[in-house]
Amino acid sequence: LLPAFCLLLQACTGADEAPNYLKKEALIQKMQAGGLVLYFRHASTEKDYADQVSADVNDGSTQRVLSEKGWHESVRIGRAIRFYEIPVAKVLTSEYFRAWQTAWLAFGEYEKNADFNFLPHEDYNEEQMAVMKKTVTPYLSTKPDADGNLVIVAHDDPFEAATGIYPEPMGICYVLEPLGEGKFKILGFLTPSGW
């Protein structure tokens, strides 16, 4: 499954080679040391559709929300973070219910930040993707101030805009090493069932 994913990733990003990601054990050791950014796409929802055009971030009835599966994924992710003693300095989320609920269930705390919201368009052009990239990249490239890791729980499109990678499936966590000046290195990823 992983080789197939890497080939898909290669096709999507236009990279000459599949990424040389760390294996689970090495990735967890890196996270235990702190200083990284853990970008989670929110956990599973009932349906997958673009709700950003008409959604009111303050009204859950206008947007996709977590499914029962997503609630369970979120709780298991939080248990895994605690089991592996991965330090969390801060948790940021978008204002959408599915993002902050994932964070609340997994980490017990979160801070909403509109920088991680979608732009209100169903399909994005290059200019709109560039706006999201400019907004999100500083969070991915700046080392956390406090000891531990910065956790971001948000969405697929802002992450894809910043990295060129579409984060699939829901609940996936990409681990990034901030390098400063708008640069970062993707160390690897864990799926919700991969912890």
Side-chain angles (χ1 to χ4, degrees), residues 36-47:
L36 304 178
V37 177
L38 282 55
Y39 189 107
F40 287 86
R41 183 181 176 191
H42 61 80
S44 294
T45 60
E46 290 287 353
K47 297 178 184 177

Side-chain angles (χ1 to χ4, degrees), residues 15-61:
D16 292 334
E17 298 178 10
N20 187 21
Y21 289 151
L22 296 177
K23 293 183 179 177
K24 175 182 173 178
E25 294 76 17
L27 198 56
I28 287 172
Q29 285 182 350
K30 284 277 196 180
M31 289 188 279
Q32 288 170 333
L36 304 178
V37 177
L38 282 55
Y39 189 107
F40 287 86
R41 183 181 176 191
H42 61 80
S44 294
T45 60
E46 290 287 353
K47 297 178 184 177
D48 189 358
Y49 64 93
D51 62 354
Q52 61 265 27
V53 175
S54 58
D56 175 353
V57 294
N58 298 307
D59 183 351
S61 69

Side-chain angles (χ1 to χ4, degrees), residues 65-111:
V65 294
L66 295 182
S67 62
E68 184 174 353
K69 176 184 176 185
W71 281 67
H72 286 287
E73 287 171 346
S74 302
V75 170
R76 285 195 298 268
I77 288 167
R79 286 179 180 163
I81 293 284
R82 290 185 291 278
F83 174 79
Y84 291 117
E85 299 180 339
I86 295 169
V88 174
K90 192 172 191 178
V91 180
L92 299 176
T93 76
S94 82
E95 295 179 309
Y96 284 79
F97 278 46
R98 57 187 177 273
W100 64 256
Q101 286 178 343
T102 298
W104 172 60
L105 289 164
F107 303 102
E109 61 179 313
Y110 60 90
E111 179 184 317

Side-chain angles (χ1 to χ4, degrees), residues 32 36 103 114 126 163 165 169 194:
Q32 288 170 333
L36 304 178
E126 287 184 19
T163 67
I165 298 169

